[in-house]
């Protein structure tokens, strides 16, 4: 089965934003994205306090909004956590799960990330499952083993139909926020490995969108997105400036042509 020809570019604002500056950023992104072809999809994952603002400013635009994490629980005595169903109340489409900052700073295990993915799907969200290796793991030749374990812990909990609807983001930890991007061929090699793993889960699962993340900028996006198994990007720092983020979306469109 041939793969869908679509690209997806999602901003990950992390813990950035203030109500006034968000308004300008969201409005500019919505306006710029309206000029893109419809096979270039755009999303922004904002801090939860700004979901209502995102919903107000992005409803009716082509830009979808999302959260950066969800609880593994549906509800209850879990102080500080946000349930996937709560995000749904604000019209959310995407939920990042297993970002390396959560795996590292909040000790999220592959199993917990799997449970969060399952919750997000059950609530009707599209999970963006992040996987990635540290520099030490790469240098010791463990990249495939590490990201394979991370992906397996998610896939084993999902039906084939559920797995076909996820997005996977390969984000080498050494490339996040460091200005060091993986070489396009280096990223492609890992994406091809991830694609094979998805294929093992089922023919339809192999069509899942595979994003690259880690210091994607307007000047390197095009070459990355031109790789056969790179279906777009998860963008941190550069998603905070509308001009840069839209230039990256434009690079996704160019890569499709
Ligand atoms: P970066 O972050 O683009 O700032 O490297 C990417 C991410 O962490 O999702």
């Amino acid at each position: 089965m041939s793969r869908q020809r679509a690209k997806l570019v999602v901003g990950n604002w992390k813990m950035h934003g203030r109500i006034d500056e968000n308004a300008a950023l969201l409005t500019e992104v919505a306006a710029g994205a309206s000029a893109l072809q419809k096979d270039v999809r755009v999303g922004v994952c904002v801090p939860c306090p700004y979901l209502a603002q995102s919903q107000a400013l992005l409803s009716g635009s082509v830009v979808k909004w999302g959260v950066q994490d969800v609880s593994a629980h549906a509800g209850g005595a879990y102080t500080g956590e946000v349930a996937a169903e709560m995000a749904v109340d604000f019209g959310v489409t995407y939920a990042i799960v297993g970002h390396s900052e959560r795996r590292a700073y909040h000790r999220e295990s592959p199993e917990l990330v799997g449970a969060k993915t399952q919750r997000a799907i059950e609530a009707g969200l599209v999970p963006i499952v992040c996987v990635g290796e540290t520099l030490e793991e790469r240098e010791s030749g463990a990249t495939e083993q590490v990201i394979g374990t991370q992906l397996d812990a998610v896939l084993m909990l999902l039906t084939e139909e559920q797995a076909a609807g996820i997005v996977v983001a390969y984000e080498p930890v050494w490339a996040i926020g460091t200005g060091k991007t993986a070489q396009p061929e280096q990223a492609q090699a890992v994406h091809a490995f991830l694609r094979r793993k998805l294929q093992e889960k089922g023919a339809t699962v192999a069509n899942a969108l595979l994003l690259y993340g880690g210091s994607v900028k307007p000047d390197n996006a095009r070459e990355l997105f031109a790789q056969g198994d790179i279906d777009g990007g998860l963008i941190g720092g550069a998603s905070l400036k509308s001009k840069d983020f839209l230039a990256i979306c434009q690079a996704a469109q160019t890569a499709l042509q």
Side-chain angles (χ1 to χ4, degrees), residues 2-3 21 26 31 56 59 97 122 126 153 184 198 202 212 228:
S2 73
R3 287 203 300 120
E21 57 202 48
L26 291 168
S59 289
V97 286
E122 283 164 4
V126 177
L198 292 170
Y212 171 78

Side-chain angles (χ1 to χ4, degrees), residues 12 14 99 101 171 175-178 213-217 234-238:
N12 171 14
K14 310 194 179 189
H99 190 279
E101 286 150 16
E171 299 205 307
I176 295 177
T178 58
S215 297
V216 178
K217 306 286 178 222
L234 184 56
I235 319 298

Side-chain angles (χ1 to χ4, degrees), residues 84 116 205:
K116 288 183 170 200
V205 187

Side-chain angles (χ1 to χ4, degrees), residues 8 12 22 52 57 68 79 148 214 216 223:
L8 171 64
N12 171 14
N22 300 345
L57 294 177
Q68 301 169 11
T79 302
V216 178
E223 222 190 320

Side-chain angles (χ1 to χ4, degrees), residues 36-197:
L36 295 165
Q37 290 168 5
K38 67 171 183 346
D39 46 9
V40 180
R41 301 177 202 158
V42 180
V44 286
C45 291
V46 304
C48 285
Y50 302 127
L51 287 177
Q53 184 186 28
S54 303
Q55 184 176 31
L57 294 177
L58 298 177
S59 289
S61 84
V62 296
V63 181
K64 310 284 186 208
W65 54 101
V67 288
Q68 301 169 11
D69 181 35
V70 289
S71 175
H73 306 282
Y78 300 102
T79 302
E81 295 210 39
V82 173
E85 286 79 1
M86 296 172 182
V88 171
D89 282 342
F90 291 91
V92 160
T93 297
Y94 296 110
I96 297 174
V97 286
H99 190 279
S100 63
E101 286 150 16
R102 296 214 54 92
R103 291 184 194 261
Y105 308 145
H106 301 271
R107 302 218 163 80
E108 292 195 5
S109 64
E111 294 70 30
L112 180 65
V113 174
K116 288 183 170 200
T117 306
Q118 211 173 17
R119 284 272 358 115
I121 293 172
E122 283 164 4
L125 300 176
V126 177
I128 300 176
V129 181
C130 299
V131 298
E133 83 287 6
T134 62
L135 187 57
E136 206 187 352
E137 288 162 345
R138 172 163 280 268
E139 286 176 346
S140 68
T143 300
E144 293 192 354
Q145 191 234 313
V146 169
I147 63 173
T149 302
Q150 291 171 344
L151 187 59
D152 282 344
V154 171
L155 293 179
M156 67 181 287
L157 297 177
L158 308 182
T159 64
E160 185 179 335
E161 197 190 341
Q162 288 174 324
I166 70 171
V167 174
V168 178
Y170 169 56
E171 299 205 307
V173 178
W174 47 271
I176 295 177
T178 58
K180 285 187 201 141
T181 323
Q183 291 305 308
E185 303 73 27
Q186 225 176 4
Q188 166 57 28
V190 178
H191 279 237
F193 167 75
L194 290 169
R195 185 80 66 200
R196 287 197 298 277
K197 289 216 65 97

